[in-house]
Amino acid sequence: MKTDIILSGVGGQGILSIATIIGEAATRMGLTLKQAEVHGMSQRGGDVQSNLRLSDQPIASDLIPLGTADMILSLEPMEALRYLPYLAKDGWVITSSAPFKNISNYPDEQALADELKAQPHVVVLDVEQLAKENQMQKSANVILLGAASSFLKILDSAALRESIGRIFSSKGEEVVNMNYRAFDIGNEYVKNLKL
């Protein structure tokens, strides 16, 4: 069994934190993990993308071939669409609907929304708004991970949740509990969609 995930977003949104949580959970479960990261020109504001490959067998390459990704997990809608050529026909796009307008010619938001809705397997949620409503602005990325957790067949939600506790433990119990709650919010959001 294998799962290939493309994580994408903009620097500063927490994409690499999601990769760390998934990677830590996979390692604890004894899975093979390969990861390749691409950072934008600037630490904050540039595009960030990570190839994350998980398997119960050896993995030859850390790069995901075109048309084979099981999931695109994105904190920015335009960045989600950028990587569609990598998505398998039965793959899922899990993305935030909130744009991060870091360029002057950012595409029309409605056109982006329409293109996302046209995908056969997609979950679009406004993680920024959910984070704001729950007073956890710094945990929007973990809300997105919670939403994606139902689609990560190689990892169960409990393993991801435990990984969150280990990753954030050095920041104190309050931060750990906030991120547990963020994960649960995303997870419940998808359950309520009844896909």
Side-chain angles (χ1 to χ4, degrees):
M1 176 182 264
K2 73 158 188 65
T3 299
D4 287 343
I5 308 162
I6 292 183
L7 301 159
S8 65
V10 175
Q13 288 187 303
I15 282 295
L16 300 181
S17 293
I18 293 174
T20 300
I21 293 166
I22 294 171
E24 200 273 351
T27 302
R28 288 271 179 157
M29 291 179 63
L31 297 171
T32 300
L33 165 72
K34 292 256 182 170
Q35 182 176 0
E37 297 173 3
V38 176
H39 301 270
M41 289 298 288
S42 60
Q43 186 173 0
R44 291 199 177 270
D47 82 320
V48 176
Q49 181 260 338
S50 180
N51 282 225
L52 196 55
R53 308 190 79 191
L54 313 171
S55 178
D56 57 3
Q57 301 292 319
I59 302 169
S61 172
D62 56 358
L63 296 177
I64 298 171
L66 288 170
T68 65
D70 299 293
M71 178 183 292
I72 295 172
L73 184 55
S74 182
L75 278 158
E76 209 289 327
M78 182 182 73
E79 294 300 327
L81 292 171
R82 178 192 306 256
Y83 295 102
L84 282 181
Y86 288 89
L87 192 64
K89 288 183 181 177
D90 59 347
W92 280 86
V93 177
I94 315 294
T95 186
S96 175
S97 62
F100 188 104
K101 295 184 178 181
N102 57 345
I103 54 174
S104 59
N105 60 341
Y106 192 90
D108 177 70
E109 287 181 54
Q110 189 57 54
L112 289 177
D114 291 345
E115 193 168 345
L116 282 167
K117 285 179 191 169
Q119 301 310 309
H121 307 291
V122 65
V123 173
V124 180
L125 65 160
D126 191 341
V127 294
E128 298 294 331
Q129 185 60 36
L130 286 168
K132 186 176 179 182
E133 288 169 6
N134 290 279
Q135 293 82 46
M136 55 176 61
Q137 284 86 335
K138 292 185 177 183
S139 296
N141 60 334
V142 180
I143 292 174
L144 188 71
L145 177 60
S149 64
S150 298
F151 305 96
L152 294 171
K153 303 301 182 203
I154 200 164
L155 293 173
D156 61 39
S157 291
L160 288 167
R161 207 168 185 282
E162 289 168 13
S163 178
I164 288 167
R166 289 186 293 269
I167 296 296
F168 291 107
S169 64
S170 66
K171 297 186 183 240
E173 188 176 339
E174 187 177 330
V175 172
V176 169
N177 288 331
M178 179 179 63
N179 282 286
Y180 281 154
R181 200 165 135 244
F183 182 85
D184 294 342
I185 287 167
N187 190 274
E188 286 300 315
Y189 181 91
V190 169
K191 285 180 184 173
N192 291 333
L193 293 177
K194 296 180 173 76
L195 297 171

